[in-house]
Structure formats: C-alpha cells, structure tokens
Amino acid sequence: MLLLAGQSDRAAGGVFLLVWGLAATFMGGAFATKRGAAGIHALVVNGLEGNPRQQAKARAMPESFLRFVAGFLAICGMVAVPVSVVMLTRG
C-alpha cells in the first residue's frame, strides 16, 4: 500500500505514514490500558468459541502481553508521526 501511495505522488507516502502513525498511536494507547486490554482479550477469547483448544490457549495468555504489544504499537506510531512530518516538509 505504501508502494502504491509513493508511486502516485511524492507526498503520498508521507501522508500515508502520518495517518498510520496517528492511528497506531491512538489504538495502541487505548489497548495499552487495563480496560482496553481486558476488552480485546475478552473479544478474542469469545471469538474462538468454535475451537476449544485455541480458546484455552487464549485464556491462558496474560493481558500484560497484550498491553506490551499495544504499547510497542503506540511507540511505533509516535516514531512514525515525526518521520512523516519530515517527509512532508522535504517533499
């Protein structure tokens, strides 16, 4: 998707990265909270009702792992936003 955006216009890659960075920051920040992690954990466990073995594995996964992944996603978004601003101002 980034390759296609980059082919259409020089600034399109920066715009895509800006939108992705903002979405990653907000979504990661929301899921990194205890309430957000519990909601996503329950959604995944309930979605696996058809396969009891995978549902048991999903229940055993601690919510702290989800919070770690969401925090990493938020950090990636915080890095992507300034990079996209630099891409937009140069191009």
Side-chain angles (χ1 to χ4, degrees):
M1 183 189 279
L2 183 59
L3 181 63
L4 290 174
Q7 290 176 353
S8 64
D9 188 15
R10 288 195 67 147
V15 172
F16 173 79
L17 194 58
L18 178 66
V19 171
W20 182 88
L22 290 172
T25 301
F26 290 126
M27 300 253 325
F31 295 154
T33 63
K34 286 184 181 182
R35 185 174 171 188
I40 292 298
H41 188 262
L43 181 72
V44 170
V45 169
N46 291 337
L48 293 172
E49 287 178 351
N51 194 340
R53 183 180 296 161
Q54 287 184 350
Q55 189 178 26
K57 286 182 181 179
R59 270 200 190 110
M61 181 68 63
E63 288 179 11
S64 60
F65 177 73
L66 179 63
R67 293 181 70 191
F68 171 76
V69 171
F72 182 74
L73 180 67
I75 289 171
C76 290
M78 285 188 258
V79 169
V81 170
V83 169
S84 69
V85 170
V86 168
M87 286 175 64
L88 288 171
T89 56
R90 284 191 182 171

